[in-house]
Amino acid sequence: MAGAIGRITAAAAAAYNENQVSLINLNFDFTLLKLEAPEEFGGLGSIMSLKRKTNAESGAFHRTARKLGALFEGTLPEIQELTKAYGIRASEIAQSDKVKTKHARATELFQNQIGADSTSIWAAATSGDAAVSVHLLACMLARVFSGTVATSIWVEIVAGQKLHIDEKQKTANFASAYDAASMAARQEFSRDELAEWDNSARSWIQC
């Protein structure tokens, strides 16, 4: 019995310590963290303009992707294999003759705006698996709904997920287990920010 209690105590302590590390990382502004994009997305990254790539890796779009990924971490299904397939297909599209021709014809003045807006997908690819899942959701919403409606849905989804996390923490036996999720839920999302996220996904699916 004593051994079993000891193992339970040790497991609880390990879970607590792991959660504290997550919380500390969040306190260091987790939205600034850039991950290495999966190699399958390499073809996409190589064709992006410097302005869009910088925005996706360290600008407003990257922060949005990181916040959304953290907010829905553990809620959306794991899609490791789908992420690989998505990266391969996205790279194929980016490297297609159609897209390359558009880039080749662009003048210096419009070089940063030419071609498909892949900012949100690259931001997701450099923000983790959960962010890629959220980007796929953005593409589905953009395909079905208008921009105004899709943005309103995003506002409701984000608000609903925040409430869901808050309720789970309040009713959990170990509330501290949800500290990281709670920190993610405290992040602000403006309607304009979510509209830009939708617009970029909407542009991407036009390829």
Side-chain angles (χ1 to χ4, degrees):
M1 175 66 75
I5 293 175
R7 287 193 295 273
I8 293 174
T9 302
Y16 175 80
N17 290 334
E18 180 179 350
N19 188 68
Q20 288 300 102
V21 170
S22 297
L23 188 57
I24 290 172
N25 288 337
L26 283 170
N27 283 331
F28 281 118
D29 195 352
F30 70 96
T31 65
L32 300 178
L33 178 64
K34 171 185 172 291
L35 306 178
E36 190 70 26
E39 61 180 354
E40 292 81 6
F41 288 86
L44 173 67
S46 66
I47 201 68
M48 293 179 67
S49 69
L50 178 60
K51 181 178 180 180
R52 282 177 172 166
K53 196 168 187 179
T54 300
N55 192 1
E57 293 181 348
S58 59
F61 264 97
H62 188 76
R63 291 191 291 274
T64 299
R66 289 287 297 163
K67 289 191 297 182
L68 287 172
L71 185 65
F72 291 96
E73 184 80 47
T75 299
L76 295 174
E78 295 184 2
I79 57 165
Q80 284 87 349
E81 294 304 315
L82 179 57
T83 295
K84 292 181 180 179
Y86 189 28
I88 292 172
R89 181 55 184 151
S91 291
E92 290 175 348
I93 292 172
Q95 295 292 328
S96 67
D97 290 339
K98 178 181 177 181
V99 173
K100 283 187 173 181
T101 299
K102 287 183 178 180
H103 277 269
R105 292 177 178 173
T107 64
E108 183 177 352
L109 179 62
F110 297 105
Q111 190 65 50
N112 286 323
Q113 286 75 39
I114 198 67
D117 183 356
S118 52
T119 311
S120 58
I121 184 173
W122 189 253
T126 57
S127 295
D129 288 335
V132 175
S133 296
V134 176
H135 183 265
L136 285 168
L137 175 59
C139 291
M140 288 188 284
L141 291 177
R143 189 172 294 278
V144 176
F145 301 101
S146 68
T148 301
V149 174
T151 299
S152 295
I153 292 174
W154 272 113
V155 172
E156 292 183 11
I157 289 176
V158 167
Q161 180 66 2
K162 286 185 174 185
L163 181 61
H164 175 66
I165 291 173
D166 183 56
E167 290 176 344
K168 287 186 69 173
Q169 186 174 38
K170 287 180 179 178
T171 58
N173 290 328
F174 298 97
S176 61
Y178 291 93
D179 281 347
S182 179
M183 286 290 291
R186 293 175 196 165
Q187 301 298 311
E188 294 295 327
F189 293 86
S190 70
R191 185 182 181 89
D192 288 344
E193 176 184 10
L194 295 173
E196 290 179 1
W197 177 255
D198 170 74
N199 285 337
S200 180
R202 191 172 299 276
S203 176
W204 171 248
I205 63 174
Q206 300 303 315
C207 293

